[in-house]
Structure formats: structure tokens, C-alpha cells
Amino acid sequence: MSALSPETLVALGGVADHQRLRTSRINSVLANRLGSSALDYAVAHHLLEGAEHAARARDADRLDWYCRTTVGDLTHLSTGPDIVLNPRTADLLRSEISETAYYLVGPDTSPAPPEALGLVRAATASATEHGFRPLLAQHAPVICLLNRRRLDETLHSWALTRLPGTVFTDYTAHPEILARDLIHEAAHNWLNDALAAHDVRLPTDVTFFSPWRGTDRPVFGFLHACWAFSLTVLYTREALRSATGAVAPFLDTHLRHQAVQFAAATEQMEQALSYVTAHEIRERIGRAVGKVVGPAGSEASPFCL
């Protein structure tokens, strides 16, 4: 397996242990017999957040549901190993500490329609073909499809630190585009877990210009963008080889746009990576970005410090 294969890039010791420890701690609070899988880890955070909402609302029945539910009770929401949600916009929540919308699994959550499940299966198959299944399996086992869009419309996607393992994303009819966006958000979840597992604390008063946002961002946000977009580029390069129809020029445009963004970001990469105290994480980010900006097929990276 190549040193720069997606499977190798995301294989990092300590992450699975971190997930199991977090799940165990949530289990000790809710006492609902959660397991130790990546899906349990993601669902556990939905249950914890939902239990807090129910407790604040003094809704005893809903609180009881969150305290006794396990992954085994949610098989009606799954497609294979993943849970797929397709909520209405009106069902999204917003926190007092963040305007970012999110959705929580609950007793009234309905299964996603067959069309959505089929799209997720096809997107997962495409990601798997190009080596990204381990990333999605461990860091995006809960997929929340939001608004269906046309190719010419803006697609929004995001992940939340308090709901690790969950991905929120708009989508089109094209599985390659959904796969790209699932990989992007799973990459954010991976980096959050990796930094926590290796106890990496990044300074909040150091900033770098992010071409993706067009503004200065703390080292945390800058490196998140470099890592997540580098993985989407690596996937898109491979997916484009077999893409047909309207999705082909769409993916090609994505690659051309990212080439410009990375060209503007790479001068700052070495300094930004110097703040990552865990060599294993620093190396993976450096290699991924180096693969994007270096010659096609190159295994070398100028950012492996």
C-alpha cells in the first residue's frame, strides 16, 4: 500500500482508543449500554445532546428515550453500517453558543427515503473504490442529507465538534459529488479526533491567511482547511477518471479552483505545521498537501517536518 494512499493517511494510532473512551464516558452518564464502534461513538453524542435538551425541557418521556436507546434500536435508520438522516429544514436546531444548524436523532426520527439511501450507497461505493472507506466508516457513520441542489447551485456542508462522526451536507443527484463532500467533512472529524487523541493544543493567537475563506484564520482553522481540501482533491482526481456527463466538468472545475487555493496557502504550510506537536499528525497533513501541490504521482512532500 502506498505511503500516500488514503487508507495510510488516515490510519492513526490512538484515535480509536479516544473514541472508545469518549463513548464509555457518555455511557457512564446515560447508562444505556452503548458499544465501542465508531457508529456507537457518533450516536452517543446525539444521545447525550438530546438528553440535555430533554432535561432542560423537563420532558421525562424523551429523556427516558435518550437514556435507554442504543445503536441496535436505530437499525430502521441505517443503510448497511451507516445511519442516514434526511430531516426537514424546520427540524434543524440551533444552539445558544453557535448559529450552525444541526439535527439530533430522536424518537420521532423517520427513515430517509429510498432515493436518499441509494445515493448514499452509491457515494460510499465511489469513496470505497478510491480508498476512502476507512475514513468514512470511522468519521462519518451518521450522514445527514439536507437540501437537494442542482449542479449550478451552492452546496453547503459542515461538521460539529460536539457531534463527532456526523456529517451534514446538501447534495445533488450525483454520487461522486456527495462522496467528495462526505470525505471533506469526515476529514474535519478525523482531525478533531486526532488532535484530541494526541493532546495537541494549537495556539489561538496565531493566524494564517486562508484563501478558502479570504481572511486570516487561527492555525486550527487554517490546517483544517488544508487537510480537508487536500483529501477532496485526492478523491476528485481519481473519481474524475471515470466520471461522465455533467459531473465531469463539475469535478474538473473543483480541481482547478483548488489548485489556485493551495498555491496561495503553501507558503505558510511549513510554519503552520510547526505548531502541531504530534509528529504523526504533522506528517499526514504535510504528505496530503504535498501530494496535492507536488508533481502528479509524487510520494515526496516538502512539508514533512
Side-chain angles (χ1 to χ4, degrees), residues 43-155:
V43 168
H45 287 80
H46 280 256
L47 300 179
L48 182 64
E49 185 87 7
E52 181 180 355
H53 279 247
R56 290 182 183 276
R58 301 181 184 275
D59 188 333
D61 290 340
R62 200 170 185 86
L63 177 59
D64 176 68
W65 187 89
Y66 280 111
C67 289
R68 61 178 167 79
T69 294
T70 67
V71 167
D73 300 313
L74 303 175
T75 55
H76 62 294
L77 304 176
S78 66
T79 170
D82 305 315
I83 285 179
V84 181
L85 310 174
N86 192 202
R88 301 174 304 164
T89 301
D91 294 329
L92 298 182
L93 306 170
R94 283 178 171 79
S95 166
E96 294 178 357
I97 62 174
S98 174
E99 281 298 306
T100 304
Y102 63 101
Y103 178 79
L104 296 174
V105 172
D108 47 0
T109 299
S110 301
E115 178 187 8
L117 296 177
L119 180 64
V120 169
R121 290 192 190 100
T124 300
S126 179
T128 299
E129 179 184 357
H130 301 302
F132 287 91
R133 183 56 190 161
L135 175 69
L136 297 189
Q138 192 168 15
H139 299 283
V142 177
I143 298 167
C144 191
L145 298 181
L146 300 173
N147 303 297
R148 177 160 177 167
R149 304 292 192 188
R150 302 188 309 269
L151 277 179
D152 62 342
E153 293 183 300
T154 300
L155 297 170

Side-chain angles (χ1 to χ4, degrees), residues 26-54:
I26 293 173
N27 197 29
S28 68
V29 173
L30 300 180
N32 54 0
R33 304 182 312 281
L34 291 165
S36 59
S37 71
L39 180 57
D40 284 288
Y41 172 67
V43 168
H45 287 80
H46 280 256
L47 300 179
L48 182 64
E49 185 87 7
E52 181 180 355
H53 279 247

Side-chain angles (χ1 to χ4, degrees), residues 21 23 55 64 86 116 153 174 184 198 233 247 267 296:
L21 178 60
T23 305
D64 176 68
N86 192 202
E153 293 183 300
H174 304 279
H184 181 95
H198 288 259
V233 167
V247 74
E267 288 187 6

Side-chain angles (χ1 to χ4, degrees), residues 1-13 126-136 138-139 183 190 227 231 234 238 284:
M1 186 177 292
S2 167
L4 283 180
S5 70
E7 297 96 335
T8 302
L9 284 174
V10 303
L12 181 66
S126 179
T128 299
E129 179 184 357
H130 301 302
F132 287 91
R133 183 56 190 161
L135 175 69
L136 297 189
Q138 192 168 15
H139 299 283
I183 289 166
W190 181 95
W227 168 249
L231 293 193
L234 296 181
E238 297 303 316
R284 281 161 176 77

